[in-house]
Amino acid sequence: MLSAFLAKLCLADETAAARSQAALTIEVTSGTANGTTLENDLVIVRIYKDGQLLHALDGKVGADGKALFDSVPTGDRVVAVVRARHQDMMFNGQPVALRPAADEFVARVQVFDVSDDQSKLSIETHHFIIRARSEFLEIIEYMQLKNSSDMAVRSEKRDSQNRPIVLEIMLPKGFKNLSPSSYFEEDTLVVTEEGFYDTMAVPPGEYQVTFSYTLDITANTMDIVKKISLPTSSFVLFAELGQAELQGLDQAEHQILRRNEAEMEYYKRSNLAPAEEIAFQIIGFNVNKSGLATWMILAIVFSIVAVLAVSRLRPEKS
């Protein structure tokens, strides 16, 4: 009886072990008309369970456009993240849940040939939203980025580490606390004193690009310059400034919007060219200088006390 029970237990363990692995096929296709061959392109598979990396697998695309991985682990909350490298650019596929009930899975990755022709990149809509806070200006920029070609657009322009400067965003002087919130991947961004740039090629299609930053309010009048990055069909500036006032923009398309008893100014420009500047002033800030004065007074008092203390420590002349 005991031997029979042990035999059944071993068989159950072997069956469970067999079911915990499966085959994973990666199908790689080109989204570029008459695109170059995909054979021998690198395929990367990373398998995670509950966010923890279990396995890292690499393979090559065959003549049939597929890469096969045998005996990948499966289970509850086990996910395969797949990518393919084509013409020295990485492309992401959709993650695949490797559930234990199945013994075969298929993941798909679409890649594109790469072009350095940036004439196909444009901004359909650019919203520039600026709000006055107690000690700083909060700025949110929203762009509808468009690649009208069927190729991933990179750039001939390179930085000092030979990375392509694909999408360069110029920000107002003195920006702080840059925080990208959509489209961008953190490890592909490079921040500079003038703004930042993305080193990742732009795939075909339209993408929502959103990021925010702040400007310290350092004077009663703030001069702000925003430089345009790509041909832009529509640029709209929204300003919620409280008691401050915005000056220097064309009043032809100026409107006042009211929202929850707050007043927001609205300016619109159309058909802007790369490197064109939107320059304006915000006046009427009440910059509090009492804090600086207090620190100066304290510094003077501390110096006087230090001098007196030293003089008291000196020995008296006999």
Side-chain angles (χ1 to χ4, degrees):
M1 294 287 292
L2 180 59
S3 59
F5 172 77
L6 292 174
K8 289 182 179 179
L9 186 60
C10 290
L11 180 61
D13 288 342
E14 290 175 2
T15 303
R19 288 178 178 174
S20 67
Q21 294 184 336
L24 174 63
T25 300
I26 313 298
E27 295 182 353
V28 183
T29 59
S30 175
T32 301
N34 303 314
T36 58
T37 180
L38 307 179
E39 188 173 1
N40 292 320
D41 278 0
L42 177 66
V43 173
I44 298 172
V45 178
R46 299 292 181 262
I47 298 176
Y48 298 88
K49 180 176 174 63
D50 294 329
Q52 299 295 318
L53 180 64
L54 294 179
H55 293 283
L57 308 171
D58 297 340
K60 294 291 184 69
V61 177
D64 59 353
K66 299 177 181 179
L68 177 63
F69 296 87
D70 291 320
S71 304
V72 298
T74 65
D76 294 329
R77 302 182 303 282
V78 176
V79 176
V81 176
V82 300
R83 295 188 297 167
R85 179 183 290 275
H86 181 66
Q87 293 190 345
D88 202 33
M89 294 299 300
M90 296 299 299
F91 297 90
N92 297 325
Q94 290 293 325
V96 177
L98 303 177
R99 299 183 179 88
D103 54 11
E104 186 175 357
F105 299 89
V106 177
R108 295 174 176 85
V109 185
Q110 187 177 49
V111 302
F112 301 90
D113 284 6
V114 179
S115 168
D116 287 335
D117 180 10
Q118 290 210 325
S119 66
K120 300 298 183 181
L121 295 183
S122 63
I123 302 293
E124 295 296 294
T125 302
H126 186 165
H127 288 173
F128 187 95
I129 304 166
I130 182 169
R131 294 187 176 95
R133 303 305 187 193
S134 58
E135 297 180 352
F136 60 89
L137 297 173
E138 177 188 40
I139 299 176
I140 301 172
E141 296 198 39
Y142 163 86
M143 302 176 181
Q144 191 74 15
L145 174 63
K146 182 178 181 180
N147 175 2
S148 58
S149 73
D150 66 347
M151 304 181 75
V153 174
R154 197 170 46 189
S155 173
E156 292 181 349
K157 188 177 179 181
R158 295 290 195 273
D159 64 11
S160 59
Q161 299 184 34
N162 200 35
R163 295 172 297 190
I165 301 176
V166 179
L167 180 59
E168 189 169 18
I169 306 295
M170 308 304 290
L171 301 181
K173 185 178 180 180
F175 76 92
K176 293 182 177 179
N177 304 313
L178 177 64
S179 177
S181 56
S182 71
Y183 176 74
F184 295 116
E185 296 183 12
E186 241 181 89
D187 59 352
T188 68
L189 292 184
V190 179
V191 181
T192 69
E193 291 185 357
E194 292 77 28
F196 67 96
Y197 57 86
D198 190 17
T199 60
M200 182 176 65
V202 181
E206 296 189 11
Y207 304 92
Q208 294 182 2
V209 177
T210 309
F211 55 92
S212 64
Y213 52 94
T214 63
L215 294 173
D216 289 341
I217 297 175
T218 57
N220 293 335
T221 299
M222 297 283 291
D223 292 294
I224 298 176
V225 177
K226 171 62 185 178
K227 184 177 290 187
I228 299 302
S229 301
L230 293 169
T232 301
S233 298
S234 173
F235 180 94
V236 183
L237 185 149
F238 298 93
E240 190 174 322
L241 303 174
Q243 300 302 313
E245 181 182 349
L246 191 149
Q247 293 185 351
L249 292 179
D250 185 1
Q251 297 292 316
E253 297 196 62
H254 175 221
Q255 297 182 30
I256 299 294
L257 306 176
R258 299 193 181 277
R259 181 175 63 94
N260 299 330
E261 300 183 356
E263 189 176 276
M264 178 175 282
E265 296 181 77
Y266 168 104
Y267 297 83
K268 185 177 181 181
R269 297 277 300 276
S270 301
N271 300 321
L272 299 175
E276 193 167 345
E277 293 182 346
I278 307 293
F280 56 93
Q281 289 184 323
I282 302 177
I283 65 173
F285 290 117
N286 182 19
V287 178
N288 184 5
K289 298 182 180 179
S290 62
L292 177 60
T294 300
W295 278 108
M296 292 178 65
I297 293 171
L298 288 174
I300 294 170
V301 171
F302 179 80
S303 299
I304 294 172
V305 171
V307 170
L308 291 174
V310 170
S311 64
R312 288 177 181 176
L313 290 174
R314 290 176 180 172
E316 294 183 3
K317 294 182 178 180
S318 57

